[in-house]
Amino acid sequence: MALPAELTRKDTLDKDLDKIASVEEAASLLSRGLVAPGLALLFIVFAAVAASIYVMGQPGAVVIVAAAAIGGYMALNIGANDVANNVSAAVGARALTLGSALVMAAIFETAGALIAGGDVVETISKGIIDPRLVSEPNVFIRLMLAALVSSALWVNLATWIGAPVSTTHAVVGGVVGAGIAAVGMGAVDWSIMGAIAASWVVSPLAGGVVAALFLFFIKSTIIYQDDKLTAARRWVPVLIAVMAGAFTTYLSSKGLNHVVTFDGWTLTALGVGSTAIFWVLSSKFVAFQSRGMENRNQSLRKLFRLPLVISAALLSFAHGANDVANAVGPLAAIVSAAQGGGVEARVGIPFWVMLIGAAGISIGLLLFGPKLVRMVGEQITKLNPMRAFCVALSAALTVIIASAMGMPVSSTHIAVGAVFGVGFFREWYTANSPRRRAYLERKMARRRAEREASAETIAEVLADEADLDNRGAPPVSREEISRRNLVRRAHVRTIVTAWVTTVPASALLAMGAFHLIGLAF
């Protein structure tokens, strides 16, 4: 007896369609991951084409075009890695969304590079190599190309593993390695290298200590006061004024130093004057903002959000003005040497070279910056606007203090060290502060007067003390509060290892690149 046709038919069409749909979905996900690298590659090609337009028919055109492509690649990596330090605290504190932070940083980075980036840079970074030892133009060009390639590759690797590193140190390592390959160990000024190595320790420690001191001040004078709003109206304007004075001095000495130069007394006057002016303005701002607020830590966040946004913009501007030289400095030196200008200690930067650097930093930030922004702002330790304010203030103030004392520091190490300092200080303070313990006891005693204390009541007190919004959410346990307070040690180990190995790793890469370039050309 024959079976009905519907029983013998295999439903292969539906299965095949499901397989096709799965393949399409997988292809879509794969192609989505290739969009950013594809756009980056297009920018590198654009940099090479733009360079060819300017130098076509001139001496050394082929070398300059190749160097422009490598310089564009380096600029992309600077944007992907280094810029995260400027906006990550504001993003981690939710004062800015990730998208708005990236767009704002890209605008201010570009503005800083083009307006205040300077038209002259040192050809041998930080004076670590004597230009007289590499006076042969062909050797010098190979040295600069090798430094660019090695530093770009190292920063790219650091971004991939999630480690914010100093791009200045990467360039320094590249110059050292290529210089050793070119003329030997005697070419390096090891005293300057010793100072740079010392900055690996000084920079994060200084940034962490300054940030921790400000957080201690905020906790002591505002957070652990029974009348938080009155305390905030008294002290928040002072903190904002100090930040205004610090950033005025920071921008005057670091962000605009290529445009106008101020002496020490002028910088001091500018800092003190802006501090006084912004204390008056911020007193009115805080008084207005605090009207009708509840007397709880959650309310204090609003008072710090606007200063955080402004600080992120100013840090981005200063970074664009200073660190664009890491991408365009070696490129400008290659252009000068290739066009017959010889080997000079300092060279001018053509506008098209500066444009490649500025555009590359901004595009690299938009395409690849989110990974490092999230890591620094959210994954090392939990930030809120008050803690993020301490990080931003430390980033500006520590650079000013270190510069005044003649200490070499890294702004990247300072910013990340400030995040470490805030996190480790919270761990210590939570476990050891008698002020905090007394405050919690008073707060829970008042709750007992209102109703019988329960585990949920205690959790609510701890959540408010830790600046966690517990309204409408399940009770937060003491273990969860403690877990959120901890600094993630795995990130600390990864970042510190990357810091220590940046110069030697870039140097080794540069040695290899120097010899490979010699074979290619």
Side-chain angles (χ1 to χ4, degrees):
M1 178 179 176
L3 293 173
E6 59 269 15
L7 295 180
T8 60
R9 185 180 66 235
K10 293 183 178 180
D11 297 327
T12 58
L13 179 60
D14 290 342
K15 293 180 180 178
D16 290 343
L17 289 175
D18 287 340
K19 292 177 181 178
I20 292 172
S22 299
V23 171
E24 289 179 344
E25 183 179 357
S28 175
L29 290 174
L30 180 62
S31 63
R32 198 178 308 162
L34 296 175
V35 170
L39 292 175
L41 181 60
L42 283 177
F43 172 76
I44 293 172
V45 172
F46 165 80
V49 171
S52 67
I53 293 173
Y54 279 94
V55 301
M56 188 63 66
Q58 299 180 18
V62 174
V63 172
I64 293 174
V65 170
I70 299 171
Y73 174 53
M74 178 60 177
L76 288 171
N77 284 294
I78 292 174
N81 189 289
D82 217 15
V83 182
N85 307 312
N86 304 326
V87 298
S88 56
V91 172
R94 293 179 174 82
L96 284 170
T97 63
L98 178 61
S100 60
L102 293 175
V103 172
M104 185 190 72
I107 293 172
F108 280 88
E109 285 279 340
T110 303
L114 295 180
I115 296 173
D119 55 0
V120 176
V121 293
E122 295 181 10
T123 59
I124 303 293
S125 183
K126 304 296 182 184
I128 54 178
I129 301 289
D130 188 347
R132 293 172 296 181
L133 298 178
V134 284
S135 57
E136 172 62 36
N138 289 335
V139 174
F140 180 76
I141 289 172
R142 285 172 58 192
L143 188 155
M144 288 289 103
L145 280 173
L148 263 181
V149 170
S150 63
S151 55
L153 288 174
W154 175 252
V155 176
N156 195 341
L157 175 62
T159 304
W160 182 69
I161 66 175
V165 296
S166 170
T167 54
T168 302
H169 286 180
V171 173
V172 166
V175 171
V176 167
I180 291 174
V183 292
M185 296 287 288
V188 181
D189 187 332
W190 294 106
S191 62
I192 294 179
M193 287 304 302
I196 292 173
S199 75
W200 297 340
V201 178
V202 173
S203 298
L205 283 180
V209 169
V210 172
L213 288 174
F214 276 106
L215 184 58
F216 172 75
F217 179 83
I218 290 174
K219 285 181 176 292
S220 300
T221 59
I222 302 174
I223 293 177
Y224 292 125
Q225 296 294 320
D226 293 329
D227 189 350
K228 300 177 189 295
L229 294 181
T230 298
R233 294 184 187 107
R234 178 185 302 119
W235 292 113
V236 172
V238 174
L239 291 168
I240 293 176
V242 171
M243 173 176 271
F247 271 99
T248 299
T249 308
Y250 181 75
L251 287 175
S252 300
S253 60
K254 295 295 181 181
L256 299 173
N257 59 320
H258 299 301
V259 179
V260 59
T261 303
F262 299 103
D263 59 32
W265 288 108
T266 304
L267 287 174
T268 302
L270 287 172
V272 172
S274 61
T275 300
I277 292 171
F278 276 90
W279 178 76
V280 175
L281 295 176
S282 58
S283 295
K284 297 179 180 179
F285 166 77
V286 171
F288 175 77
Q289 284 284 93
S290 62
R291 289 177 186 172
M293 282 185 175
E294 296 181 53
N295 186 43
R296 60 198 306 266
N297 290 342
Q298 289 288 326
S299 301
L300 300 178
R301 294 184 176 189
K302 296 179 181 178
L303 304 179
F304 289 90
R305 280 178 179 161
L306 181 60
L308 266 179
V309 173
I310 295 173
S311 69
L314 296 179
L315 283 171
S316 298
F317 182 91
H319 180 272
N322 284 281
D323 282 33
V324 69
N326 290 331
V328 303
L331 176 55
I334 291 169
V335 172
S336 176
Q339 292 183 339
V343 179
E344 302 290 339
R346 294 170 65 85
V347 297
I349 305 177
F351 178 76
W352 66 268
V353 172
M354 183 65 77
L355 191 60
I356 288 176
I361 289 175
S362 297
I363 293 172
L365 169 65
L366 294 172
L367 294 179
F368 306 106
K371 180 177 182 178
L372 267 296
V373 171
R374 291 193 184 98
M375 200 282 294
V376 176
E378 299 174 356
Q379 296 176 16
I380 295 176
T381 191
K382 181 177 174 59
L383 294 176
N384 65 13
M386 288 163 280
R387 298 167 205 147
F389 180 91
C390 297
V391 171
L393 181 54
S394 173
L397 201 58
T398 306
V399 170
I400 296 169
I401 296 172
S403 298
M405 296 174 64
M407 298 167 53
V409 291
S410 163
S411 58
T412 298
H413 293 188
I414 289 172
V416 179
V419 177
F420 290 162
V422 163
F424 285 122
F425 172 76
R426 289 178 64 213
E427 291 184 11
W428 175 85
Y429 195 84
T430 298
N432 298 284
S433 171
R435 181 187 294 275
R436 173 182 178 273
R437 191 177 303 111
Y439 169 83
L440 292 178
E441 289 174 355
R442 292 196 308 271
K443 194 164 186 176
M444 283 189 282
R446 288 196 299 270
R447 293 288 180 93
R448 289 192 184 97
E450 298 172 0
R451 61 178 178 173
E452 182 179 355
S454 63
E456 182 176 350
T457 303
I458 296 172
E460 288 175 353
V461 172
L462 290 172
D464 183 54
E465 182 272 334
D467 299 310
L468 304 173
D469 193 350
N470 200 49
R471 291 174 294 181
V476 181
S477 66
R478 295 188 183 191
E479 291 76 14
E480 176 64 10
I481 297 294
S482 176
R483 186 189 70 79
R484 296 187 191 188
N485 282 348
L486 293 176
V487 177
R488 295 188 180 180
R489 267 57 173 181
H491 289 312
V492 176
R493 289 191 293 269
T494 300
I495 292 170
V496 171
T497 301
W499 286 352
V500 173
T501 55
T502 290
V503 171
S506 296
L508 290 174
L509 286 171
M511 290 180 187
F514 181 84
H515 293 297
L516 289 175
I517 292 170
L519 294 176
F521 292 94

